[in-house]
Amino acid sequence: MRKEIPIALSFLAGIIMLIDSFTPGNFAPRVELSKWLIIMSAFMVGIASVNLVRIHGANVISRRKGWFNSFSLLVMLVAFTYVGVMKYSYPEVETWKVLFQNFYDYIMSPPAAVMYAIIAFYVSSASYRAFKARSVEATVLLVAAVVVMLGKAPVGELIWSKFPVISSWLLNVANTTGQRGIMIGAAIGGFVTSLRVLLGLERGHLGGV
Amino acid sequence: MSFWDKMQKIDRRIIYALLVIVVAFPLIRPLGLPLSYSDTTLKFFDEIEKLQPGDRVLISLDYAPSGAADVHPQTVAVSKHLIQKGVKIAFVSFWEAGPMFAEQIMQPYLDSGELVYGEDVVNLGYIPGANSAIRSFGFDCVGSAPKDLNGKDTASMPIMQGIKDCRDFDVVIDFVMGSPGTAAWVQQVQGPLGINLLVGSVVVEVPASMPFVQAGQVKGLLQGLRGAAEYELLSGSAGIAAAGMDAQSLGHLLIIGSILVGNVAYFMSKKQPKNNKQ
């Protein structure tokens, strides 16, 4: 039964979604199932939090290397959750709202933005060290990259007015052709995998049952 | 070690320092480089221009602080334009960080009394569940978001009156930096319901969005910070994106210069006889 019940549930859920795609309007079972999915997804956030506490709590207790980072994460997890719950529970109290927004604006956002911005340094260094015309394919990629970069930056238009035109052609024709091929291939692959899950042939999601 | 060998092994900190200089300089002293408008931005702007006061627009904020430098200026510029036109805005998000961006945008207008919460604007908050949540919301907006970010009933809000599914919004705009995003909106909502969909995207997501634009499923596309800058200039309110374009231009030039110098050093080094390399 450990095998049959999950397979039957997967089949039922999949069939409801499939029927919905071929039915005009709202197919009632799909509407209900979608609400369940939203609730389950919300629970997954809770499970992820418990997992974080387990892993990083163990790091702190056993004083593993970098334990202070784990400690910071746990402090922020608790603080953010507490302020968020208070904000939601007492919407008329302005302090919680301001505190939550400030947590977000001044604690969460800057490090996240910095992490992304640091990529610029790696890109500039990598472009110097690794982006070499070692083969015909690499040379085509290199030329295309330079033209697209010049086409997308205002300074490229000043250098040669045709850069944006060539850049657009590369994006709209060469790139889109490849993207379409990838999308169609991925869609066919997705369809086949879904069919295998529905028929119980693919059981990886059941945890090796 | 020859000169070209040394050039190949240049200290990366020199490149980092150069990047800081070329990006910081135009931010301190703007160069004012001219900016042309791309077709996708013009189509986006035209769709917004067609809206009338009182029309309703849904904005889906599907990005995180890491991509905000590229996308958030788009959201700010478009929201400002919509508010100036008297269009009502409902914000929703399928990324957990999204609702706070909506708060950042709405708050100054709510504080000044320019907008009334629940009538002119609403923050429907974060809906977990990725593609399935987008589908669910697309087909049943109020049922999928019965409470707003602060726990208030959305069904009783004037802005949500008459909204059953996403077709009841005059335009749906997705500001996106990854998945779930453009593909999910097109596949789950635009295809089945035929909504009027516009997209603002981080620049690295643009290639993946172009097939949808060419197919007419996405009617307009803002491409990264440049898209935001173009929109700011079109709507007559130059802001942070337009100011950042000079920095981006010089950054691109540095990277192109790095590629060229790196390749020259590579080929010159290869050309030299081995005994000269000692």
Side-chain angles (χ1 to χ4, degrees), chain B residues 70-90:
Chain B
D70 230 13
V71 191
H72 195 57
Q74 297 175 356
T75 316
V76 172
V78 174
S79 302
K80 191 175 175 184
H81 189 203
L82 290 170
I83 291 165
Q84 281 169 353
K85 287 178 70 71
V87 174
K88 299 172 191 293
I89 308 173

PDB file of all heavy atoms in Angstrom, chain B residues 70-90:
ATOM      1  N   ASP B  70      18.298  45.687 -11.280  1.00  0.00           N
ATOM      2  CA  ASP B  70      17.913  45.643 -12.691  1.00  0.00           C
ATOM      3  C   ASP B  70      16.407  45.862 -12.884  1.00  0.00           C
ATOM      4  O   ASP B  70      16.000  46.529 -13.837  1.00  0.00           O
ATOM      5  CB  ASP B  70      18.288  44.266 -13.266  1.00  0.00           C
ATOM      6  CG  ASP B  70      19.073  44.364 -14.560  1.00  0.00           C
ATOM      7  OD1 ASP B  70      19.527  45.466 -14.883  1.00  0.00           O
ATOM      8  OD2 ASP B  70      19.232  43.336 -15.232  1.00  0.00           O
ATOM      9  N   VAL B  71      15.595  45.299 -12.004  1.00  0.00           N
ATOM     10  CA  VAL B  71      14.139  45.284 -12.234  1.00  0.00           C
ATOM     11  C   VAL B  71      13.386  46.367 -11.461  1.00  0.00           C
ATOM     12  O   VAL B  71      12.416  46.933 -11.969  1.00  0.00           O
ATOM     13  CB  VAL B  71      13.531  43.910 -11.849  1.00  0.00           C
ATOM     14  CG1 VAL B  71      12.098  43.800 -12.326  1.00  0.00           C
ATOM     15  CG2 VAL B  71      14.324  42.788 -12.443  1.00  0.00           C
ATOM     16  N   HIS B  72      13.802  46.625 -10.211  1.00  0.00           N
ATOM     17  CA  HIS B  72      13.010  47.546  -9.389  1.00  0.00           C
ATOM     18  C   HIS B  72      12.864  48.941 -10.007  1.00  0.00           C
ATOM     19  O   HIS B  72      11.768  49.527  -9.922  1.00  0.00           O
ATOM     20  CB  HIS B  72      13.580  47.622  -7.974  1.00  0.00           C
ATOM     21  CG  HIS B  72      12.632  48.240  -6.995  1.00  0.00           C
ATOM     22  ND1 HIS B  72      11.358  47.744  -6.769  1.00  0.00           N
ATOM     23  CD2 HIS B  72      12.746  49.339  -6.204  1.00  0.00           C
ATOM     24  CE1 HIS B  72      10.742  48.494  -5.875  1.00  0.00           C
ATOM     25  NE2 HIS B  72      11.556  49.473  -5.518  1.00  0.00           N
ATOM     26  N   PRO B  73      13.927  49.483 -10.655  1.00  0.00           N
ATOM     27  CA  PRO B  73      13.722  50.778 -11.321  1.00  0.00           C
ATOM     28  C   PRO B  73      12.603  50.734 -12.378  1.00  0.00           C
ATOM     29  O   PRO B  73      11.907  51.721 -12.595  1.00  0.00           O
ATOM     30  CB  PRO B  73      15.083  51.067 -11.975  1.00  0.00           C
ATOM     31  CG  PRO B  73      16.059  50.317 -11.136  1.00  0.00           C
ATOM     32  CD  PRO B  73      15.341  49.062 -10.716  1.00  0.00           C
ATOM     33  N   GLN B  74      12.430  49.557 -13.014  1.00  0.00           N
ATOM     34  CA  GLN B  74      11.316  49.402 -13.976  1.00  0.00           C
ATOM     35  C   GLN B  74       9.987  49.526 -13.239  1.00  0.00           C
ATOM     36  O   GLN B  74       9.080  50.247 -13.679  1.00  0.00           O
ATOM     37  CB  GLN B  74      11.362  48.019 -14.637  1.00  0.00           C
ATOM     38  CG  GLN B  74      12.579  47.740 -15.467  1.00  0.00           C
ATOM     39  CD  GLN B  74      12.590  46.294 -15.986  1.00  0.00           C
ATOM     40  OE1 GLN B  74      11.732  45.495 -15.657  1.00  0.00           O
ATOM     41  NE2 GLN B  74      13.566  45.976 -16.805  1.00  0.00           N
ATOM     42  N   THR B  75       9.867  48.800 -12.112  1.00  0.00           N
ATOM     43  CA  THR B  75       8.618  48.818 -11.347  1.00  0.00           C
ATOM     44  C   THR B  75       8.299  50.236 -10.882  1.00  0.00           C
ATOM     45  O   THR B  75       7.145  50.675 -10.967  1.00  0.00           O
ATOM     46  CB  THR B  75       8.742  47.884 -10.115  1.00  0.00           C
ATOM     47  OG1 THR B  75       9.354  46.672 -10.506  1.00  0.00           O
ATOM     48  CG2 THR B  75       7.391  47.598  -9.520  1.00  0.00           C
ATOM     49  N   VAL B  76       9.331  50.925 -10.394  1.00  0.00           N
ATOM     50  CA  VAL B  76       9.127  52.288  -9.890  1.00  0.00           C
ATOM     51  C   VAL B  76       8.642  53.199 -11.018  1.00  0.00           C
ATOM     52  O   VAL B  76       7.653  53.929 -10.863  1.00  0.00           O
ATOM     53  CB  VAL B  76      10.439  52.839  -9.259  1.00  0.00           C
ATOM     54  CG1 VAL B  76      10.302  54.307  -8.904  1.00  0.00           C
ATOM     55  CG2 VAL B  76      10.812  52.025  -8.025  1.00  0.00           C
ATOM     56  N   ALA B  77       9.324  53.128 -12.165  1.00  0.00           N
ATOM     57  CA  ALA B  77       8.976  54.021 -13.286  1.00  0.00           C
ATOM     58  C   ALA B  77       7.569  53.736 -13.801  1.00  0.00           C
ATOM     59  O   ALA B  77       6.779  54.673 -14.035  1.00  0.00           O
ATOM     60  CB  ALA B  77      10.001  53.840 -14.416  1.00  0.00           C
ATOM     61  N   VAL B  78       7.231  52.459 -13.960  1.00  0.00           N
ATOM     62  CA  VAL B  78       5.905  52.107 -14.499  1.00  0.00           C
ATOM     63  C   VAL B  78       4.805  52.448 -13.489  1.00  0.00           C
ATOM     64  O   VAL B  78       3.770  53.016 -13.859  1.00  0.00           O
ATOM     65  CB  VAL B  78       5.866  50.599 -14.887  1.00  0.00           C
ATOM     66  CG1 VAL B  78       4.461  50.183 -15.306  1.00  0.00           C
ATOM     67  CG2 VAL B  78       6.850  50.306 -16.005  1.00  0.00           C
ATOM     68  N   SER B  79       5.036  52.142 -12.209  1.00  0.00           N
ATOM     69  CA  SER B  79       4.034  52.446 -11.179  1.00  0.00           C
ATOM     70  C   SER B  79       3.773  53.947 -11.116  1.00  0.00           C
ATOM     71  O   SER B  79       2.622  54.389 -11.019  1.00  0.00           O
ATOM     72  CB  SER B  79       4.500  51.962  -9.801  1.00  0.00           C
ATOM     73  OG  SER B  79       4.747  50.595  -9.826  1.00  0.00           O
ATOM     74  N   LYS B  80       4.850  54.717 -11.176  1.00  0.00           N
ATOM     75  CA  LYS B  80       4.722  56.184 -11.126  1.00  0.00           C
ATOM     76  C   LYS B  80       3.861  56.679 -12.290  1.00  0.00           C
ATOM     77  O   LYS B  80       2.954  57.500 -12.103  1.00  0.00           O
ATOM     78  CB  LYS B  80       6.130  56.801 -11.196  1.00  0.00           C
ATOM     79  CG  LYS B  80       6.180  58.281 -10.901  1.00  0.00           C
ATOM     80  CD  LYS B  80       7.636  58.733 -10.883  1.00  0.00           C
ATOM     81  CE  LYS B  80       7.727  60.237 -10.699  1.00  0.00           C
ATOM     82  NZ  LYS B  80       9.106  60.713 -10.775  1.00  0.00           N
ATOM     83  N   HIS B  81       4.131  56.135 -13.471  1.00  0.00           N
ATOM     84  CA  HIS B  81       3.379  56.522 -14.662  1.00  0.00           C
ATOM     85  C   HIS B  81       1.899  56.144 -14.515  1.00  0.00           C
ATOM     86  O   HIS B  81       1.002  56.934 -14.836  1.00  0.00           O
ATOM     87  CB  HIS B  81       3.998  55.823 -15.888  1.00  0.00           C
ATOM     88  CG  HIS B  81       3.449  56.304 -17.198  1.00  0.00           C
ATOM     89  ND1 HIS B  81       3.502  55.542 -18.334  1.00  0.00           N
ATOM     90  CD2 HIS B  81       2.816  57.449 -17.553  1.00  0.00           C
ATOM     91  CE1 HIS B  81       2.948  56.200 -19.333  1.00  0.00           C
ATOM     92  NE2 HIS B  81       2.521  57.359 -18.884  1.00  0.00           N
ATOM     93  N   LEU B  82       1.644  54.928 -13.998  1.00  0.00           N
ATOM     94  CA  LEU B  82       0.260  54.469 -13.817  1.00  0.00           C
ATOM     95  C   LEU B  82      -0.483  55.356 -12.820  1.00  0.00           C
ATOM     96  O   LEU B  82      -1.638  55.736 -13.051  1.00  0.00           O
ATOM     97  CB  LEU B  82       0.249  53.012 -13.330  1.00  0.00           C
ATOM     98  CG  LEU B  82       0.677  51.939 -14.338  1.00  0.00           C
ATOM     99  CD1 LEU B  82       0.857  50.594 -13.648  1.00  0.00           C
ATOM    100  CD2 LEU B  82      -0.342  51.820 -15.469  1.00  0.00           C
ATOM    101  N   ILE B  83       0.187  55.682 -11.731  1.00  0.00           N
ATOM    102  CA  ILE B  83      -0.450  56.521 -10.698  1.00  0.00           C
ATOM    103  C   ILE B  83      -0.747  57.909 -11.260  1.00  0.00           C
ATOM    104  O   ILE B  83      -1.817  58.474 -11.020  1.00  0.00           O
ATOM    105  CB  ILE B  83       0.450  56.578  -9.431  1.00  0.00           C
ATOM    106  CG1 ILE B  83       0.467  55.190  -8.761  1.00  0.00           C
ATOM    107  CG2 ILE B  83      -0.040  57.642  -8.449  1.00  0.00           C
ATOM    108  CD1 ILE B  83       1.562  54.994  -7.736  1.00  0.00           C
ATOM    109  N   GLN B  84       0.194  58.451 -12.038  1.00  0.00           N
ATOM    110  CA  GLN B  84      -0.023  59.766 -12.675  1.00  0.00           C
ATOM    111  C   GLN B  84      -1.247  59.733 -13.589  1.00  0.00           C
ATOM    112  O   GLN B  84      -1.965  60.721 -13.727  1.00  0.00           O
ATOM    113  CB  GLN B  84       1.206  60.178 -13.483  1.00  0.00           C
ATOM    114  CG  GLN B  84       2.331  60.748 -12.627  1.00  0.00           C
ATOM    115  CD  GLN B  84       3.631  60.907 -13.410  1.00  0.00           C
ATOM    116  OE1 GLN B  84       3.734  60.475 -14.563  1.00  0.00           O
ATOM    117  NE2 GLN B  84       4.620  61.507 -12.780  1.00  0.00           N
ATOM    118  N   LYS B  85      -1.476  58.573 -14.222  1.00  0.00           N
ATOM    119  CA  LYS B  85      -2.610  58.450 -15.147  1.00  0.00           C
ATOM    120  C   LYS B  85      -3.928  58.143 -14.424  1.00  0.00           C
ATOM    121  O   LYS B  85      -4.975  58.029 -15.070  1.00  0.00           O
ATOM    122  CB  LYS B  85      -2.343  57.316 -16.164  1.00  0.00           C
ATOM    123  CG  LYS B  85      -1.305  57.678 -17.208  1.00  0.00           C
ATOM    124  CD  LYS B  85      -1.050  56.514 -18.160  1.00  0.00           C
ATOM    125  CE  LYS B  85      -2.213  56.249 -19.078  1.00  0.00           C
ATOM    126  NZ  LYS B  85      -2.431  57.244 -20.115  1.00  0.00           N
ATOM    127  N   GLY B  86      -3.857  57.945 -13.107  1.00  0.00           N
ATOM    128  CA  GLY B  86      -5.078  57.650 -12.352  1.00  0.00           C
ATOM    129  C   GLY B  86      -5.526  56.204 -12.477  1.00  0.00           C
ATOM    130  O   GLY B  86      -6.707  55.886 -12.275  1.00  0.00           O
ATOM    131  N   VAL B  87      -4.570  55.324 -12.820  1.00  0.00           N
ATOM    132  CA  VAL B  87      -4.879  53.899 -12.951  1.00  0.00           C
ATOM    133  C   VAL B  87      -4.735  53.234 -11.577  1.00  0.00           C
ATOM    134  O   VAL B  87      -3.829  53.565 -10.811  1.00  0.00           O
ATOM    135  CB  VAL B  87      -3.919  53.234 -13.980  1.00  0.00           C
ATOM    136  CG1 VAL B  87      -4.112  51.734 -14.023  1.00  0.00           C
ATOM    137  CG2 VAL B  87      -4.139  53.849 -15.359  1.00  0.00           C
ATOM    138  N   LYS B  88      -5.652  52.311 -11.261  1.00  0.00           N
ATOM    139  CA  LYS B  88      -5.595  51.604  -9.973  1.00  0.00           C
ATOM    140  C   LYS B  88      -4.671  50.383 -10.104  1.00  0.00           C
ATOM    141  O   LYS B  88      -4.675  49.718 -11.143  1.00  0.00           O
ATOM    142  CB  LYS B  88      -7.001  51.149  -9.568  1.00  0.00           C
ATOM    143  CG  LYS B  88      -7.975  52.304  -9.380  1.00  0.00           C
ATOM    144  CD  LYS B  88      -9.381  51.794  -9.182  1.00  0.00           C
ATOM    145  CE  LYS B  88     -10.399  52.914  -9.248  1.00  0.00           C
ATOM    146  NZ  LYS B  88     -10.320  53.876  -8.162  1.00  0.00           N
ATOM    147  N   ILE B  89      -3.909  50.112  -9.025  1.00  0.00           N
ATOM    148  CA  ILE B  89      -2.912  49.035  -9.099  1.00  0.00           C
ATOM    149  C   ILE B  89      -3.130  48.007  -7.997  1.00  0.00           C
ATOM    150  O   ILE B  89      -3.242  48.363  -6.820  1.00  0.00           O
ATOM    151  CB  ILE B  89      -1.469  49.590  -8.963  1.00  0.00           C
ATOM    152  CG1 ILE B  89      -1.211  50.718  -9.952  1.00  0.00           C
ATOM    153  CG2 ILE B  89      -0.443  48.472  -9.160  1.00  0.00           C
ATOM    154  CD1 ILE B  89       0.124  51.427  -9.751  1.00  0.00           C
ATOM    155  N   ALA B  90      -3.165  46.723  -8.394  1.00  0.00           N
ATOM    156  CA  ALA B  90      -3.156  45.618  -7.429  1.00  0.00           C
ATOM    157  C   ALA B  90      -1.800  44.932  -7.544  1.00  0.00           C
ATOM    158  O   ALA B  90      -1.414  44.510  -8.633  1.00  0.00           O
ATOM    159  CB  ALA B  90      -4.274  44.630  -7.726  1.00  0.00           C
TER     160      ALA B  90
END
